[in-house]
Short mmCIF file of all heavy atoms in Angstrom, two decimals:
data_model
loop_
_atom_site.label_atom_id
_atom_site.label_comp_id
_atom_site.label_asym_id
_atom_site.label_seq_id
_atom_site.Cartn_x
_atom_site.Cartn_y
_atom_site.Cartn_z
N ARG A 632 -13.13 -11.61 7.68
CA ARG A 632 -12.53 -10.83 6.60
C ARG A 632 -11.13 -10.37 6.99
O ARG A 632 -10.86 -10.09 8.15
CB ARG A 632 -13.39 -9.61 6.27
CG ARG A 632 -14.71 -10.02 5.65
CD ARG A 632 -15.53 -8.84 5.23
NE ARG A 632 -15.84 -8.01 6.38
CZ ARG A 632 -16.10 -6.72 6.31
NH1 ARG A 632 -16.09 -6.09 5.16
NH2 ARG A 632 -16.40 -6.05 7.39
N ILE A 633 -10.26 -10.28 5.99
CA ILE A 633 -8.91 -9.75 6.20
C ILE A 633 -8.73 -8.49 5.35
O ILE A 633 -9.37 -8.33 4.30
CB ILE A 633 -7.82 -10.79 5.87
CG1 ILE A 633 -7.87 -11.23 4.40
CG2 ILE A 633 -7.90 -11.98 6.81
CD1 ILE A 633 -6.70 -12.11 3.96
N ALA A 634 -7.88 -7.61 5.83
CA ALA A 634 -7.55 -6.40 5.07
C ALA A 634 -6.74 -6.78 3.83
O ALA A 634 -5.98 -7.75 3.85
CB ALA A 634 -6.76 -5.43 5.95
N HIS A 635 -6.89 -6.00 2.79
CA HIS A 635 -6.08 -6.17 1.59
C HIS A 635 -4.61 -6.03 1.99
O HIS A 635 -4.26 -5.11 2.74
CB HIS A 635 -6.39 -5.07 0.56
CG HIS A 635 -7.80 -5.00 0.11
ND1 HIS A 635 -8.81 -4.49 0.90
CD2 HIS A 635 -8.36 -5.34 -1.07
CE1 HIS A 635 -9.95 -4.53 0.22
NE2 HIS A 635 -9.71 -5.05 -0.97
N GLY A 636 -3.76 -6.89 1.45
CA GLY A 636 -2.33 -6.78 1.73
C GLY A 636 -1.79 -5.43 1.30
O GLY A 636 -0.95 -4.82 1.99
N MET A 637 -2.28 -4.94 0.18
CA MET A 637 -1.77 -3.66 -0.32
C MET A 637 -2.32 -2.48 0.49
O MET A 637 -1.69 -1.42 0.51
CB MET A 637 -2.07 -3.50 -1.81
CG MET A 637 -1.36 -4.55 -2.67
SD MET A 637 0.41 -4.74 -2.34
CE MET A 637 1.03 -3.29 -3.17
N LEU A 638 -3.42 -2.66 1.19
CA LEU A 638 -3.89 -1.63 2.12
C LEU A 638 -2.89 -1.50 3.25
O LEU A 638 -2.48 -0.38 3.62
CB LEU A 638 -5.29 -1.97 2.65
CG LEU A 638 -5.82 -1.09 3.79
CD1 LEU A 638 -5.88 0.38 3.39
CD2 LEU A 638 -7.19 -1.57 4.24
N THR A 639 -2.46 -2.62 3.80
CA THR A 639 -1.43 -2.60 4.84
C THR A 639 -0.15 -1.97 4.30
O THR A 639 0.45 -1.11 4.94
CB THR A 639 -1.15 -4.03 5.35
OG1 THR A 639 -2.37 -4.60 5.84
CG2 THR A 639 -0.11 -4.03 6.45
N THR A 640 0.24 -2.36 3.09
CA THR A 640 1.44 -1.81 2.47
C THR A 640 1.33 -0.30 2.29
O THR A 640 2.33 0.42 2.39
CB THR A 640 1.67 -2.48 1.09
OG1 THR A 640 1.77 -3.88 1.28
CG2 THR A 640 2.94 -1.97 0.44
N SER A 641 0.13 0.20 2.05
CA SER A 641 -0.04 1.63 1.83
C SER A 641 0.36 2.46 3.05
O SER A 641 0.70 3.63 2.92
CB SER A 641 -1.47 1.95 1.39
OG SER A 641 -2.38 1.83 2.46
N LEU A 642 0.35 1.85 4.24
CA LEU A 642 0.83 2.56 5.42
C LEU A 642 2.31 2.87 5.30
O LEU A 642 2.78 3.90 5.80
CB LEU A 642 0.55 1.76 6.69
CG LEU A 642 -0.92 1.47 6.99
CD1 LEU A 642 -1.05 0.65 8.26
CD2 LEU A 642 -1.73 2.75 7.06
N LEU A 643 3.06 1.99 4.61
CA LEU A 643 4.47 2.27 4.36
C LEU A 643 4.61 3.49 3.45
O LEU A 643 5.50 4.31 3.64
CB LEU A 643 5.16 1.06 3.72
CG LEU A 643 5.34 -0.16 4.60
CD1 LEU A 643 5.88 -1.33 3.79
CD2 LEU A 643 6.23 0.13 5.80
N SER A 644 3.73 3.61 2.48
CA SER A 644 3.76 4.76 1.58
C SER A 644 3.57 6.06 2.37
O SER A 644 4.28 7.04 2.16
CB SER A 644 2.67 4.62 0.51
OG SER A 644 2.69 5.72 -0.37
N GLY A 645 2.62 6.06 3.30
CA GLY A 645 2.40 7.23 4.14
C GLY A 645 3.60 7.53 5.01
O GLY A 645 4.02 8.69 5.15
N LEU A 646 4.19 6.50 5.58
CA LEU A 646 5.37 6.67 6.44
C LEU A 646 6.54 7.24 5.66
O LEU A 646 7.16 8.22 6.06
CB LEU A 646 5.75 5.31 7.07
CG LEU A 646 7.06 5.27 7.84
CD1 LEU A 646 7.02 6.20 9.04
CD2 LEU A 646 7.38 3.84 8.25
N LEU A 647 6.84 6.62 4.53
CA LEU A 647 8.01 7.03 3.74
C LEU A 647 7.80 8.37 3.05
O LEU A 647 8.74 9.16 2.96
CB LEU A 647 8.36 5.94 2.73
CG LEU A 647 8.70 4.57 3.35
CD1 LEU A 647 8.86 3.52 2.27
CD2 LEU A 647 9.94 4.64 4.23
N GLY A 648 6.60 8.63 2.60
CA GLY A 648 6.33 9.89 1.90
C GLY A 648 6.20 11.10 2.81
O GLY A 648 6.43 12.22 2.37
N MET A 649 5.83 10.86 4.06
CA MET A 649 5.59 11.98 4.96
C MET A 649 6.57 12.10 6.12
O MET A 649 6.72 13.17 6.69
CB MET A 649 4.16 11.89 5.53
CG MET A 649 3.07 11.98 4.47
SD MET A 649 3.15 13.48 3.47
CE MET A 649 2.81 14.73 4.70
N HIS A 650 7.24 11.01 6.50
CA HIS A 650 8.07 11.03 7.71
C HIS A 650 9.54 10.72 7.46
O HIS A 650 10.41 11.49 7.87
CB HIS A 650 7.49 10.07 8.75
CG HIS A 650 6.08 10.39 9.12
ND1 HIS A 650 5.73 11.43 9.95
CD2 HIS A 650 4.91 9.82 8.74
CE1 HIS A 650 4.42 11.48 10.08
NE2 HIS A 650 3.89 10.52 9.35
N LEU A 651 9.86 9.58 6.85
CA LEU A 651 11.25 9.20 6.60
C LEU A 651 11.34 8.40 5.32
O LEU A 651 10.77 7.31 5.26
CB LEU A 651 11.80 8.36 7.78
CG LEU A 651 13.23 7.85 7.63
CD1 LEU A 651 14.21 9.01 7.65
CD2 LEU A 651 13.56 6.86 8.75
N PRO A 652 11.95 8.90 4.27
CA PRO A 652 12.68 10.16 4.20
C PRO A 652 11.80 11.40 4.18
O PRO A 652 12.24 12.49 4.49
CB PRO A 652 13.50 10.05 2.93
CG PRO A 652 12.90 8.95 2.14
CD PRO A 652 12.13 8.09 3.07
N GLY A 653 10.51 11.26 3.83
CA GLY A 653 9.59 12.38 3.96
C GLY A 653 9.24 13.07 2.67
O GLY A 653 9.44 12.55 1.57
N LYS A 654 8.69 14.27 2.83
CA LYS A 654 8.15 15.04 1.71
C LYS A 654 9.16 15.21 0.59
O LYS A 654 10.31 15.52 0.83
CB LYS A 654 7.67 16.40 2.20
CG LYS A 654 6.51 16.30 3.15
CD LYS A 654 6.11 17.64 3.71
CE LYS A 654 5.00 17.48 4.73
NZ LYS A 654 4.67 18.72 5.41
N GLY A 655 8.67 15.01 -0.63
CA GLY A 655 9.51 15.15 -1.82
C GLY A 655 10.23 13.87 -2.22
O GLY A 655 10.76 13.79 -3.31
N SER A 656 10.21 12.86 -1.35
CA SER A 656 10.87 11.59 -1.70
C SER A 656 9.96 10.80 -2.64
O SER A 656 8.75 11.01 -2.67
CB SER A 656 11.19 10.79 -0.44
OG SER A 656 10.02 10.46 0.27
N VAL A 657 10.57 9.91 -3.42
CA VAL A 657 9.85 9.14 -4.42
C VAL A 657 10.25 7.67 -4.29
O VAL A 657 11.44 7.35 -4.20
CB VAL A 657 10.17 9.65 -5.85
CG1 VAL A 657 9.49 8.80 -6.90
CG2 VAL A 657 9.79 11.11 -5.99
N TYR A 658 9.25 6.79 -4.31
CA TYR A 658 9.50 5.35 -4.29
C TYR A 658 10.22 4.91 -5.56
O TYR A 658 9.80 5.25 -6.66
CB TYR A 658 8.15 4.60 -4.27
CG TYR A 658 7.81 3.88 -3.00
CD1 TYR A 658 6.64 4.17 -2.33
CD2 TYR A 658 8.62 2.87 -2.50
CE1 TYR A 658 6.28 3.49 -1.17
CE2 TYR A 658 8.28 2.19 -1.35
CZ TYR A 658 7.11 2.49 -0.69
OH TYR A 658 6.76 1.82 0.45
N LEU A 659 11.27 4.13 -5.42
CA LEU A 659 11.92 3.48 -6.56
C LEU A 659 11.63 1.98 -6.56
O LEU A 659 11.65 1.35 -7.60
CB LEU A 659 13.43 3.70 -6.53
CG LEU A 659 13.90 5.15 -6.69
CD1 LEU A 659 15.42 5.22 -6.58
CD2 LEU A 659 13.42 5.72 -8.01
N GLY A 660 11.35 1.44 -5.36
CA GLY A 660 11.05 0.01 -5.27
C GLY A 660 10.68 -0.39 -3.87
O GLY A 660 10.97 0.32 -2.90
N GLN A 661 10.03 -1.56 -3.76
CA GLN A 661 9.63 -2.08 -2.46
C GLN A 661 9.51 -3.59 -2.57
O GLN A 661 8.79 -4.08 -3.44
CB GLN A 661 8.28 -1.49 -2.03
CG GLN A 661 7.70 -2.07 -0.75
CD GLN A 661 8.36 -1.57 0.51
OE1 GLN A 661 8.43 -0.37 0.72
NE2 GLN A 661 8.83 -2.48 1.34
N THR A 662 10.22 -4.32 -1.72
CA THR A 662 9.99 -5.75 -1.62
C THR A 662 9.01 -5.98 -0.47
O THR A 662 8.97 -5.19 0.48
CB THR A 662 11.28 -6.55 -1.36
OG1 THR A 662 11.83 -6.15 -0.10
CG2 THR A 662 12.30 -6.31 -2.48
#
């Protein structure tokens, strides 16, 4: 079995939302 690609991608959401740029930042796009 392999992990969902979007599960892996969700780690980026945690990184960007909590660390850099961090709290209060909002995704506009992701390639």
Side-chain angles (χ1 to χ4, degrees):
R632 292 184 299 154
I633 61 172
H635 301 74
M637 297 310 284
L638 171 58
T639 302
T640 303
S641 73
L642 299 179
L643 291 173
S644 181
L646 172 63
L647 300 173
M649 297 303 295
H650 302 284
L651 178 67
K654 295 176 183 174
S656 61
V657 177
Y658 249 123
L659 295 177
Q661 174 76 55
T662 63

